[in-house]
Amino acid sequence: MTVIDIPGSKSVTARALFLAAAAEGTTTLLRPLRSDDTEGFAEGLKALGYAVRQEPDAWHIEGSPAGPPATDADVQCRDGATTARFLPTLAAAGHGTFRFDASAQMRRRPLGPLTTALRALGADLTHGEREGHHPLTVTGHGIKGGAIRLDAGQSSQYLTALLLLGPLTTEGLTLTVTDLVSEPYVEITLAMMRAFGAEITRGEAPEGRTYTVAPTGYRATTYAVEPDASTASYFFAAAALMPGGAVTVPGLGTGALQGDLAFTDVLRRMGADVTTTATGTTVRNTGTLRGLTVNMRDISDTMPTLAALAPFAEGPVRIEDVANTRVKECDRLDACAENLRRLGVDVATGPDWIEIRPGAPAAPGSPAGPAGPAEIATHGDHRIVMSFAVTALRTPGIRFDDPGCVRKTFPDFHTVFEAFARGL
């Protein structure tokens, strides 16, 4: 049995950094993820004037409940969607002029529903080039609060950013959500806000779900970051795929915050043996991988993992309700289909679905395979690389055009996954 220690959750680390910056006092984050995205978030906080001290296994953040200590700042958000969406929201609660920009990849990703909502709350906000995208300037005058409507059908991060803002308003915030994707990520946000002293109530209205956030502010705390469930999916999938494979991930047990742990339920439906206890989750190969039809709206970050595993199933694998994966680091639906077809796999796609028919990918040099080494087009997307590393376990000769893009969430992925694979 292989036991693998997965790095800390990117989603939890980003939220914890926002909450720590907004809290009264000094917060210590235990075992935060160290990656390009989270380092970019921390550097963004420093640019906004926050004191952030980073040790190998703990980060200490001195909070500023009144908003960024700086009154003028330039922030580079890199490739980080949470950085690019959460930090401008934090800046709106402060007082000063804050300019945000991001990588070319992040500039392409939408921001409009969030910035429209911030404007409705009175934020002074302008887009530097294309409306609804970075670059962005926020002139902070504090946020009074109030009631707004939000469509979060494209990304739950819009809702999370506004929920995080709620306790920093002077009068509180009521959000009516007309559509929502990846709801488990919102549950992470609510649980973490409460851990920092926030008060939130949830209700239902004819036009949608409502969230009412009291203007309580936040209290500093010591917060342990749990392992990243999305990252764990690659190791779980590998164990389910390889004969005799088995892996245990400690720290992702029955009390885990992250909805992406539900990927193991998909593996269970396909025939893998899955055991979840209070302390961790174990996945074992049983010699069977069945096809299935599955709605992955709430766990769409693991869609590429399943797509990369799917050719080895005994029947078709159809993944539905994942339109939002088209506006991630790349169009993940098309990227998965393109790469599987390069390997000779029969794939069909629609606006919000992908179907992969059975038939193990053809090895390069074989009659059905590519003439030379099969190069996976990563589109600079860390999840495409890590997902197709699973495919490569049973398809020798695969290589990646940009293997280093895993630095976004797991800089040591290739070393760790290779060592893990040798033990399967």
Side-chain angles (χ1 to χ4, degrees):
M1 171 68 65
T2 300
V3 177
I4 186 88
D5 288 318
I6 300 294
S9 164
K10 181 185 75 168
S11 299
V12 172
T13 301
R15 285 159 175 77
L17 285 168
F18 183 111
L19 291 163
E24 180 72 47
T26 300
T27 291
T28 296
L29 305 184
L30 303 177
R31 299 184 300 279
L33 172 65
R34 299 198 73 134
S35 71
D36 192 68
D37 268 14
T38 57
E39 292 283 1
F41 202 118
E43 289 302 315
L45 288 178
K46 292 175 186 177
L48 292 170
Y50 293 95
V52 180
R53 181 165 57 89
Q54 294 166 277
E55 298 174 348
D57 293 318
W59 290 359
H60 310 277
I61 302 95
E62 186 176 333
S64 174
T71 57
D72 188 90
D74 291 280
V75 179
Q76 172 53 244
C77 300
R78 305 186 191 180
D79 284 337
T82 50
T83 309
R85 291 163 178 169
F86 294 0
L87 288 188
T89 306
L90 179 62
H95 295 79
T97 301
F98 310 102
R99 292 166 296 276
F100 297 87
D101 204 351
S103 67
Q105 183 188 66
M106 190 61 224
R107 278 187 172 200
R108 291 191 295 269
R109 297 182 67 179
L111 196 66
L114 174 60
T115 54
T116 297
L118 288 171
R119 283 173 174 154
L121 290 169
D124 183 354
L125 184 153
T126 57
H127 292 278
E129 295 180 9
R130 190 156 54 122
E131 188 66 21
H133 295 263
H134 278 287
L136 175 70
T137 298
V138 177
T139 303
H141 305 290
I143 297 291
K144 180 180 178 181
I148 59 170
R149 291 163 59 92
L150 177 71
D151 184 338
Q154 194 175 60
S155 173
S156 65
Q157 288 179 2
Y158 306 145
L159 175 57
T160 280
L162 294 166
L163 287 168
L164 291 169
L165 174 66
L168 304 181
T169 63
T170 56
E171 297 184 0
L173 185 61
T174 299
L175 296 161
T176 299
V177 183
T178 57
D179 191 17
L180 178 59
V181 69
S182 302
E183 185 174 359
Y185 283 94
V186 178
E187 295 302 315
I188 296 173
T189 303
L190 298 176
M192 292 184 66
M193 288 174 66
R194 291 181 177 119
F196 280 78
E199 298 176 6
I200 314 108
T201 57
R202 183 169 47 191
E204 300 292 336
E207 59 270 37
R209 180 172 297 169
T210 63
Y211 298 86
T212 302
V213 188
T216 56
Y218 294 109
R219 297 188 302 272
T221 189
T222 297
Y223 193 89
V225 177
E226 69 185 27
D228 193 290
S230 306
T231 299
S233 73
Y234 314 116
F235 296 87
F236 289 142
L241 173 65
M242 298 301 286
V247 66
T248 295
V249 176
L252 285 177
T254 51
L257 292 176
Q258 299 163 82
D260 277 2
L261 185 56
F263 179 74
T264 59
D265 295 332
V266 178
L267 294 178
R268 182 185 287 112
R269 287 179 57 191
M270 295 180 76
D273 179 68
V274 179
T275 304
T276 301
T277 68
T279 58
T281 295
T282 299
V283 173
R284 294 182 176 86
N285 170 276
T286 63
T288 299
L289 278 178
R290 295 186 290 268
L292 81 171
T293 296
V294 57
N295 185 311
M296 297 189 79
R297 179 182 179 88
D298 286 339
I299 56 169
S300 59
D301 273 353
T302 62
M303 179 278 291
T305 320
L306 181 57
L309 177 68
F312 304 100
E314 296 172 353
V317 172
R318 183 180 174 93
I319 305 169
E320 298 181 336
D321 207 1
V322 286
N324 68 311
T325 63
R326 292 192 179 277
V327 291
K328 297 286 189 176
E329 284 81 346
C330 70
D331 182 332
R332 287 179 176 163
L333 268 178
D334 279 356
C336 288
E338 168 197 3
N339 286 309
L340 288 169
R341 289 178 181 131
R342 287 186 178 200
L343 296 171
V345 177
D346 185 10
V347 183
T349 61
D352 68 346
W353 59 269
I354 182 171
E355 183 170 310
I356 301 105
R357 284 72 183 250
S366 68
E375 185 170 83
I376 298 299
T378 64
H379 302 279
D381 191 332
H382 58 132
R383 299 215 181 278
I384 298 300
V385 176
M386 292 188 279
S387 296
F388 279 87
V390 177
T391 311
L393 291 173
R394 295 269 296 270
T395 313
I398 284 180
R399 66 185 186 190
F400 302 95
D401 64 2
D402 183 13
C405 67
V406 297
R407 62 186 173 274
K408 180 178 176 67
T409 51
F410 194 171
D412 296 330
F413 172 78
H414 295 294
T415 301
V416 174
F417 194 78
E418 183 179 354
F420 165 72
R422 286 198 298 267
L424 289 175

